[in-house]
Amino acid sequence: MDRAAELLHSVFGFPAFRPGQAEIVRSVLQGRNTLAIMPTGGGKSLCFQLPALCREGVTVVISPLIALMRDQVRALRAAGVEAGALTSGNTGEETEEVFQAIDKGRLKLLYMAPERLASGGALALLRRAKCSLIAVDEAHCVSQWGHDFRPDYLRIGELRRALRVPLAAFTATADEETRAEIVTRLFDGEAPVTFLRGFDRPNIHLAFAVKDKPREQILRFAGARRGQSGIVYCATRAKTETLAQALREARHEAVAYHGGMEAEERRQVETRFQREDGLIVVATIAFGMGIDKPDIRWVAHADLPKSIEAYYQEIGRAGRDGSPAETMTLYGPDDIRLRRSQIDEGAAPPDRKAADHARLNALLGLAEALGCRRQVLLGYFGEAAEPCGNCDLCDRPAQLFDATEAVRKALSAILRTGEWFGAGHLIDILTGTATPKVREKGHDRLPTFAVGRDLSKPAWGAVFRQMMGRDLVRPDADRHGALRMTEAARPVLRGEVSVTLRRDTVVAAGEREPVIRAQVADEDLGLLALLKAKRRALAEAQNVPAYVVFPDRTLIEMAERKPATLDQMAGITGVGARKLESYGAAFLEVITGAAEGLHPARLKLAGRPEGALFDRLAEVQLALARGEDGTGKYLTCTHSTLRAIAERRPSTLGELQAIQGMGEQKVERFGAAFLAVLRDG
């Protein structure tokens, strides 16, 4: 673990492990089969990348999307790590480069898509590469009933058995059922060492709003966050196009993304989003799993997601850098009808449909929550939590009322009309609105006609929506969406159970929007903008995403701490040895106005105690270059020799003379003074 901690700082530029990382890294290092469920942005990639650098042989990483693999390889190479990917998107030169690195024993991490495992040569290649560990990213893709199922993930268990190597599986979204499926399919049912590191993303603000002119709600939400990178998820391809156009008309940089676009069009959108600050992508769920952009500041859902797992994964693309991020999810009765009908009309067996309805119920419970949303969300994943203070219902508590009588009136209206009508007609009956349809059906003569005049039509709409959300009633696809009572409603109708609902969910969504928090203090905004401009120029010159140079979090720390030397720059989170060498002077020049020129040998010591020793040795050498009286022969040591002395810290003249570059004359001239510096340091 000492070696891993050292590489964490020197290669990746992080001063310490994040909570939960060290234990997982230790398990993988020890060669134990490992399953880690960590929140998105919790640093799961490091949990297999660090062990790969410490272990002999190659670690093969099975990852679901080409874009994700290529981005991680670029980031690793920028940090000085030998990594490569074999994907269908490779050029011939890229593939040959990977094979050469394998044959020369240089490669440490090899990324592969699961589909490549179907080729006959995959096993032979991994044996040739001396594969010593399999890491599986996005391991929930092995679940056949999950929203991201990839059939070729089922081959991974067979690969593990054939290679006889340990396997480490990682995911951010896995409920108890999915975790059991992962164990069965990847580990042959033999329980791996399992780490459940919590699902909380405390930096993400959670918010839901009932649809009320939804296009305006999205435009208002995006307008309050102008210039920040964001994603808007939509249920249909057509909606992505129209909403992206509306955002452009509102002077946002926005593009659509969906599965109906040509592959090259989608690739261009992915590339722009990775490299541009402030771009908004309006997308179906086809977008996102391969996006490793750390500075997405907000995610909005223009329509209700399919499940809590899908919701959690999609909002989890925001704020991966740990800085504040925001979400908003719009929903309404039409969303509930759509999701119910998708389940009912699907080809799944009855028990699976029941499970899918239960998952939708859990999501609707989050949407219609009466208290802290984070408590509801984490409770679904089996975690207890205190009120978070970072959701819309903590910002402004819900207005509640005892809706038992209202719900019983609504259920009575449903039953007395034979469960053949939708909410609109039922509300007309309850409010005593004698429409032609009500009179034609004779429903103006029902005992329930006009019994609900104490509530307005919008209020009754909120009651019916919340009843659907509580799964007290369901739309019946065979009856054109007519509402039918569920078994859960019978105790309410009999007066055995009371119902509390929210009174405030017809309030315009704009009134509940959280306050936007600046990334840095006002006085540092100008410097942060200059640092981002420098990052963009360097990224464009290298044809890589901006975060491969430095993520936002690193630039924010630079703007706040304003390092004045490369030694201080080395202490900034995310500035490893290779990146300090590649970019340190360029960003220091932005901060100080002048680059500090350090010899490469001194640069290797930046941010370490040995750097200060090197500087004192250099000062002593300069003072004694012509001897104590200033008349002697001019003598100096090379920078490499001074670096070796600072690192090895000899304690005697004999040890000093054994260092390359230190002859008898130099020991005589500088020896005593150098040893004094080393003793004092």
Side-chain angles (χ1 to χ4, degrees):
M1 280 300 292
D2 290 344
R3 174 67 172 155
E6 177 190 336
L7 292 173
L8 179 70
H9 177 67
S10 64
V11 174
F12 297 99
F14 298 123
F17 287 106
R18 293 188 193 182
Q21 278 185 325
E23 295 86 347
I24 298 170
V25 168
R26 181 179 292 108
S27 177
V28 178
L29 269 175
Q30 292 171 346
R32 306 170 75 185
N33 287 331
T34 303
L35 171 60
I37 295 94
M38 305 172 69
T40 301
K44 57 188 171 74
S45 296
L46 271 177
C47 291
F48 57 79
Q49 291 170 349
L50 270 177
L53 300 187
C54 297
R55 293 173 60 91
E56 294 294 325
V58 170
T59 292
V60 61
V61 183
I62 309 299
S63 188
L65 288 180
I66 291 174
L68 180 66
M69 290 187 278
R70 293 177 79 89
D71 288 342
Q72 290 205 5
V73 168
R74 276 195 292 248
L76 285 165
R77 286 180 173 173
V81 176
E82 286 281 358
L86 290 176
T87 76
S88 58
N90 279 28
T91 64
E93 290 180 354
E94 288 173 332
T95 298
E96 182 57 32
E97 184 181 344
V98 172
F99 286 148
Q100 287 182 5
I102 288 173
D103 291 338
K104 292 179 180 178
R106 296 198 319 264
L107 202 70
K108 295 304 297 179
L109 287 122
L110 174 62
Y111 284 76
M112 295 175 65
E115 288 75 14
R116 196 176 183 95
L117 302 181
S119 68
L123 179 59
L125 172 66
L126 294 178
R127 282 177 171 154
R128 167 181 157 193
K130 296 183 173 59
C131 173
S132 61
L133 172 69
I134 299 172
V136 182
D137 204 4
E138 309 291 356
H140 63 276
C141 292
V142 79
S143 174
Q144 292 192 77
W145 294 106
H147 59 286
D148 285 326
F149 174 57
R150 297 286 286 268
D152 287 291
Y153 264 65
L154 301 177
R155 301 177 185 273
I156 298 174
E158 180 183 341
L159 179 70
R160 179 184 68 85
R161 290 190 295 273
L163 291 173
R164 296 183 180 179
V165 297
L167 185 146
F170 299 85
T171 182
T173 48
D175 59 14
E176 190 171 346
E177 182 182 18
T178 303
R179 292 200 293 271
E181 203 165 350
I182 290 171
V183 171
T184 299
R185 300 191 182 281
L186 296 185
F187 300 99
D188 297 328
E190 297 179 12
V193 181
T194 301
F195 298 90
L196 186 56
R197 284 303 173 221
F199 291 87
D200 193 13
R201 296 284 305 284
N203 62 310
I204 298 180
H205 186 278
L206 307 178
F208 281 70
V210 177
K211 287 184 177 179
D212 178 26
K213 299 179 180 177
R215 180 178 298 190
E216 292 181 14
Q217 288 172 281
I218 293 292
L219 290 175
R220 190 162 54 243
F221 189 81
R225 294 151 186 82
R226 187 173 296 277
Q228 297 181 0
S229 293
I231 303 173
V232 182
Y233 283 108
C234 301
T236 65
R237 296 174 179 181
K239 193 167 186 177
T240 67
E241 299 279 0
T242 58
L243 194 47
Q245 180 61 33
L247 285 162
R248 286 193 294 271
E249 290 172 359
R251 296 180 292 106
H252 293 278
E253 286 290 324
V255 289
Y257 184 105
H258 56 73
M261 295 165 60
E262 295 294 331
E264 179 59 22
E265 288 182 285
R266 294 200 304 272
R267 189 193 65 77
Q268 289 175 0
V269 171
E270 291 169 356
T271 300
R272 281 191 65 189
F273 191 60
Q274 292 283 29
R275 296 181 183 177
E276 294 182 23
D277 289 326
L279 185 67
I280 300 171
V281 174
V282 187
T284 59
I285 59 171
F287 181 80
M289 193 165 69
I291 298 301
D292 198 22
K293 184 179 172 71
D295 58 345
I296 299 170
R297 295 270 61 87
W298 57 270
V299 170
H301 283 87
D303 301 294
L304 189 72
K306 288 187 175 181
S307 65
I308 281 192
E309 289 87 353
Y311 167 79
Y312 177 81
Q313 187 174 65
E314 286 152 17
I315 66 166
R317 286 161 189 147
R320 292 188 180 201
D321 55 5
S323 297
E326 294 171 288
T327 68
M328 182 182 69
T329 301
L330 300 182
Y331 69 104
D334 288 344
D335 294 281
I336 301 173
R337 292 189 193 96
L338 173 65
R339 295 305 185 201
R340 293 286 188 209
S341 65
Q342 285 176 332
I343 295 170
D344 289 334
E345 295 170 11
D351 60 336
R352 174 51 54 180
K353 287 184 178 181
D356 288 342
H357 276 300
R359 286 182 169 178
L360 178 58
N361 290 345
L363 177 63
L364 294 170
L366 178 62
E368 299 287 7
L370 305 180
C372 172
R373 293 197 193 277
R374 191 166 264 101
Q375 286 184 308
V376 177
L377 178 63
L378 296 179
Y380 176 80
F381 291 112
E383 292 183 31
E386 295 297 317
C388 69
N390 196 30
C391 73
D392 55 343
L393 293 179
C394 283
D395 296 340
R396 181 177 171 182
Q399 302 168 23
L400 309 179
F401 74 107
D402 184 346
T404 307
E405 281 307 307
V407 170
R408 292 181 69 191
K409 290 175 183 177
L411 292 172
S412 177
I414 290 170
L415 291 177
R416 289 181 183 276
T417 55
E419 299 180 302
W420 273 103
F421 297 91
H425 184 77
L426 295 167
I427 290 171
D428 286 337
I429 295 171
L430 290 164
T431 56
T433 307
T435 66
K437 183 178 178 181
V438 168
R439 288 196 300 270
E440 177 192 340
K441 301 294 183 184
H443 292 162
D444 54 338
R445 298 189 297 274
L446 291 174
T448 48
F449 184 75
V451 298
R453 280 180 169 161
D454 55 323
L455 294 178
S456 66
K457 284 192 174 185
W460 271 115
V463 169
F464 273 98
R465 190 198 65 251
Q466 291 179 77
M467 288 171 64
M468 291 167 67
R470 300 287 188 87
D471 204 21
L472 300 176
V473 295
R474 284 187 189 176
D476 187 339
D478 294 333
R479 297 188 177 196
H480 309 289
L483 295 179
R484 302 191 69 168
M485 191 174 76
T486 67
E487 286 299 315
R490 297 192 182 281
V492 179
L493 192 62
R494 293 193 296 264
E496 299 168 1
V497 175
S498 62
V499 180
T500 300
L501 297 181
R502 291 178 57 183
R503 193 188 298 278
D504 59 327
T505 50
V506 293
V507 176
E511 297 181 24
R512 287 190 161 268
E513 290 179 7
V515 176
I516 308 302
R517 291 158 289 190
Q519 290 179 286
V520 295
D522 288 347
E523 59 268 24
D524 295 330
L525 284 172
L527 177 55
L528 180 60
L530 291 173
L531 291 169
K532 285 187 174 183
K534 171 60 71 175
R535 176 181 67 178
R536 183 168 184 173
L538 290 168
E540 288 178 350
Q542 298 171 64
N543 198 29
V544 298
Y547 72 83
V548 169
V549 177
F550 286 125
D552 271 9
R553 182 176 60 176
T554 298
L555 298 190
I556 290 168
E557 193 172 330
M558 287 183 192
E560 291 174 339
R561 293 175 56 183
K562 301 177 182 63
T565 67
L566 285 172
D567 283 316
Q568 293 174 6
M569 180 70 80
I572 299 292
T573 302
V575 182
R578 174 64 71 86
K579 289 195 175 183
L580 183 69
E581 185 177 343
S582 301
Y583 309 121
F587 283 89
L588 194 65
E589 186 172 9
V590 173
I591 297 168
T592 67
E596 176 195 8
L598 284 189
H599 187 278
R602 173 61 179 84
L603 187 59
K604 297 288 187 185
L605 304 178
R608 297 164 52 190
E610 290 85 353
L613 279 180
F614 181 104
D615 293 340
R616 291 201 292 275
L617 291 169
E619 290 172 7
V620 167
Q621 174 187 254
L622 182 62
L624 296 176
R626 291 195 177 275
E628 291 186 7
D629 59 4
T631 61
K633 176 185 175 182
Y634 187 80
L635 283 178
T636 60
C637 301
T638 66
H639 287 84
S640 296
T641 299
L642 292 181
R643 175 190 169 191
I645 295 170
E647 288 183 321
R648 290 163 60 178
R649 303 190 188 205
S651 59
T652 67
L653 292 176
E655 291 175 356
L656 183 62
Q657 189 166 337
I659 291 175
Q660 186 172 358
M662 288 297 295
E664 189 175 335
Q665 282 185 310
K666 291 180 183 178
V667 169
E668 185 178 348
R669 175 74 60 86
F670 305 118
F674 280 2
L675 292 179
V677 167
L678 295 170
R679 281 196 302 271
D680 295 342

